[in-house]
Structure formats: structure tokens, C-alpha cells
């Protein structure tokens, strides 16, 4: 639910930027500000939504400046194409970066051989539970098992 709220906010921000682009005419451009909703959408909802917002942002820029008289009308098409050529790869890169971070976070918290949670996960979860026990004033119990020479069992497996 939260990610779609961010996507709606990104679309509305893109529309607001397009309105500012239209109001200022060809003297000032807000083209770089379109990167904010593109990155928010790609980060929160993934590559496909990020690319859609990128295309909508380029289209919004085109519609906001195409109504103004230009000495070279073809320059509007060229500028729209270059914005699209920057916006779409940026959306893809942001989505890939988020996925890579998620994957690395998972790998850092699990044992590569067994897939079980490792010590880092244990300490993080223990800290969370200790804070929760402190807030709720409920007792907190930990059971810990240490298996001697388990590495040998793991290696033979």
C-alpha cells in the first residue's frame, strides 16, 4: 500500500513540475527535477513503474514546452528524445540498485551453505526483541544451543 502511495505522489509531483515548466516557458526549465519522481517510483515500485513514470515525465516535459513558440520546432523533439534517453536508463538503474541492495542484505544475513540465519541476524533480532520487551515490560527469554564440532557435520554433508 505504501509503495502505491509513493507512486501516486511521484505522478502528482511530475505533473506539478510540468505545470511549472509550462508557466516559466522556454526561459527556465525544470527538466532535472523530473528525476525526483522517477527515482521515487523506481525505488518504491520497481523497474516497470519507474520506466512508465520516466516516459510520462518526458511526455509531460514535451507537452509543457511544445505549446510555446520555438524558433526551431525540431529542437523540442530532440530535447524530448534526449530526456527520454536519460530518464528511462535512470529508472532502470535505480530499480536494479534497489534489488541488488535487497539481495546483498539477504546474503549478509544467511549462511550460504545451509540458508539458515547467521549471527548477524541473531543479534539484530535479539536487539529488536529486547527493545520490544523493554517497551511492553514483558519478560524476555533466549534459548541458545551450541553444537560442538558441527563444522565437521556440515563439511561431510
Amino acid at each position: 500500500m505504501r509503495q502505491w502511495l509513493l507512486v501516486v505522489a511521484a505522478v502528482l509531483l511530475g505533473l506539478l513540475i510540468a505545470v511549472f515548466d509550462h508557466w516559466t516557458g522556454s526561459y527556465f526549465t525544470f527538466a532535472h527535477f523530473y528525476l525526483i519522481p522517477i527515482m521515487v517510483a523506481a525505488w518504491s515500485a520497481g523497474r516497470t513503474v519507474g520506466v512508465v513514470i520516466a516516459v510520462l515525465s518526458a511526455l509531460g516535459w514535451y507537452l509543457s514546452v511544445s505549446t510555446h513558440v520555438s524558433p526551431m520546432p525540431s529542437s523540442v523533439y530532440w530535447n524530448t528524445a534526449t530526456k527520454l534517453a536519460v530518464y528511462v536508463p535512470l529508472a532502470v538503474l535505480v530499480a536494479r540498485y534497489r534489488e541488488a541492495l535487497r539481495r546483498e542484505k539477504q546474503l549478509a544475513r544467511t549462511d550460504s551453505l545451509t540458508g539458515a540465519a547467521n549471527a548477524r541476524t541473531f543479534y539484530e533480532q535479539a536487539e529488536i526483541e529486547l527493545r520490544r520487551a523493554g517497551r511492553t515490560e514483558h519478560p524476555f527469554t533466549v534459548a541458545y544451543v551450541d553444537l560442538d564440532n558441527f563444522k565437521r557435520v556440515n563439511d561431510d554433508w
Side-chain angles (χ1 to χ4, degrees):
M1 181 68 179
R2 182 177 168 261
Q3 74 179 13
W4 290 108
L5 186 63
L6 288 172
V7 170
V8 169
V11 169
L12 293 175
L13 182 59
L15 287 172
L16 183 66
I17 294 167
V19 167
F20 280 127
D21 256 344
H22 179 72
W23 282 346
T24 59
S26 58
Y27 297 109
F28 297 104
T29 182
F30 291 92
H32 291 79
F33 290 103
Y34 287 105
L35 298 175
I36 297 168
I38 293 168
M39 290 189 300
V40 166
W43 184 267
S44 62
R47 181 180 64 178
T48 304
V49 175
V51 168
V52 168
I53 298 296
V55 170
L56 290 175
S57 294
L59 181 64
W61 183 87
Y62 169 76
L63 292 174
S64 68
V65 299
S66 65
T67 57
H68 302 290
V69 178
S70 173
M72 292 182 59
S74 61
S75 68
V76 174
Y77 300 123
W78 172 258
N79 288 334
T80 303
T82 58
K83 283 168 186 32
L84 196 59
V86 170
Y87 294 168
V88 170
L90 177 74
V92 171
L93 286 173
V94 167
R96 282 187 182 173
Y97 182 68
R98 169 113 193 260
E99 180 59 27
L101 283 176
R102 186 201 60 77
R103 194 171 43 250
E104 289 298 321
K105 184 177 181 180
Q106 180 200 9
L107 288 172
R109 285 163 176 72
T110 57
D111 179 62
S112 60
L113 183 61
T114 63
N118 63 13
R120 179 178 287 128
T121 304
F122 173 78
Y123 290 122
E124 287 176 356
Q125 291 301 313
E127 185 179 333
I128 291 168
E129 292 302 324
L130 282 170
R131 276 193 251 131
R132 182 179 307 162
R135 277 194 320 269
T136 61
E137 297 180 2
H138 285 91
F140 179 71
T141 305
V142 175
Y144 182 75
V145 178
D146 185 14
L147 300 175
D148 291 335
N149 299 321
F150 189 70
K151 181 174 177 7
R152 196 175 323 151
V153 174
N154 242 355
D155 291 343
D156 290 344
W157 189 269

